[in-house]
């Protein structure tokens, strides 16, 4: 095997896929990496053909030029930096394409990965809505994050 082949085959994204038989198998990075090509993000190249979750701008207010961001990732795709990539993409779409002036994220205060991703992208924690969500039989707090168009720094 050539050295380049060895580095690709030794790469593992850590994502386990459920096969048709219901068994969980590790990602076959070699096949996927060759299919996508070298210009793709390393985090995404091995799993490009799987649905990772959903992401959207919702509650778009064209008068005030604001929107909310919603992100839901399947468990197998969490912890690989995909949330940060998705937030960057939605900010690009909201600010550069739609011309919005404010984006907002509402998330539960115990959603540590989203809190970290929002902060990493540049969102500011603006407050906490105490006991505002009913989750599994109890009220929990929500964190509110905001990002303004003039605070946003596009990725290079």
């Amino acid at each position: 095997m050539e050295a380049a082949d060895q580095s690709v085959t030794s790469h593992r994204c850590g994502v386990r896929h459920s096969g048709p038989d219901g068994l969980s198998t590790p990602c076959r990075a070699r096949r996927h990496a060759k299919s996508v090509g070298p210009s793709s993000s390393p985090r995404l190249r091995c799993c490009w053909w799987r649905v990772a979750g959903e992401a959207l701008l919702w509650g778009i207010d064209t008068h005030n030029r604001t929107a909310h961001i919603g992100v839901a990732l399947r468990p197998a795709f969490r912890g690989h930096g995909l949330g940060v990539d998705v937030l960057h993409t939605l900010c690009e779409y909201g600010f550069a394409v739609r011309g919005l002036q404010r984006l907002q994220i509402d998330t539960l205060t115990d959603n540590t990965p989203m809190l970290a991703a929002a902060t990493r992208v540049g969102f500011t924690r603006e407050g906490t809505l105490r006991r505002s969500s009913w989750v599994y039989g109890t009220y929990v707090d929500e964190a509110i994050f905001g990002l303004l168009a003039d605070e946003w720094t596009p990725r290079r």
Side-chain angles (χ1 to χ4, degrees):
M1 207 186 278
E2 295 177 334
D5 262 349
Q6 289 175 346
S7 67
V8 174
T9 56
S10 66
H11 166 75
R12 292 289 181 255
C13 70
V15 174
R16 298 186 66 81
H17 304 295
S18 295
D21 55 3
L23 298 176
S24 179
T25 59
C27 177
R28 298 172 189 251
R30 179 179 178 197
R31 182 181 65 202
H32 304 224
K34 287 184 176 179
S35 300
V36 175
S39 64
S40 299
S41 165
R43 285 188 299 272
L44 301 176
R45 94 167 38 151
C46 58
C47 303
W48 64 271
W49 56 278
R50 292 285 185 167
V51 174
E54 68 177 344
L56 67 151
L57 293 181
W58 63 275
I60 298 173
D61 180 339
T62 55
H63 176 75
N64 293 309
R65 295 184 12 222
T66 63
H68 293 260
I69 289 180
V71 178
L73 294 176
R74 293 174 55 203
F77 291 90
R78 297 175 189 161
H80 302 284
L82 189 56
V84 171
D85 289 342
V86 167
L87 288 179
H88 277 296
T89 301
L90 288 173
C91 288
E92 174 85 20
Y93 176 70
F95 293 132
V97 177
R98 296 292 304 251
L100 300 176
Q101 65 90 23
R102 174 187 165 77
L103 294 174
Q104 181 171 316
I105 297 173
D106 307 352
T107 188
L108 300 180
T109 55
D110 65 352
N111 187 353
T112 307
M114 180 52 88
L115 300 176
T119 302
R120 188 168 164 198
V121 171
F123 281 81
T124 300
R125 186 166 182 165
E126 297 178 334
T128 301
L129 299 176
R130 299 179 306 141
R131 296 181 60 188
S132 63
S133 294
W134 180 255
V135 179
Y136 296 117
T138 187
Y139 287 101
V140 296
D141 297 345
E142 277 187 80
I144 306 300
F145 285 82
L147 181 64
L148 303 178
D150 58 356
E151 299 171 339
W152 173 62
T153 305
R155 279 193 295 190
R156 306 265 177 238

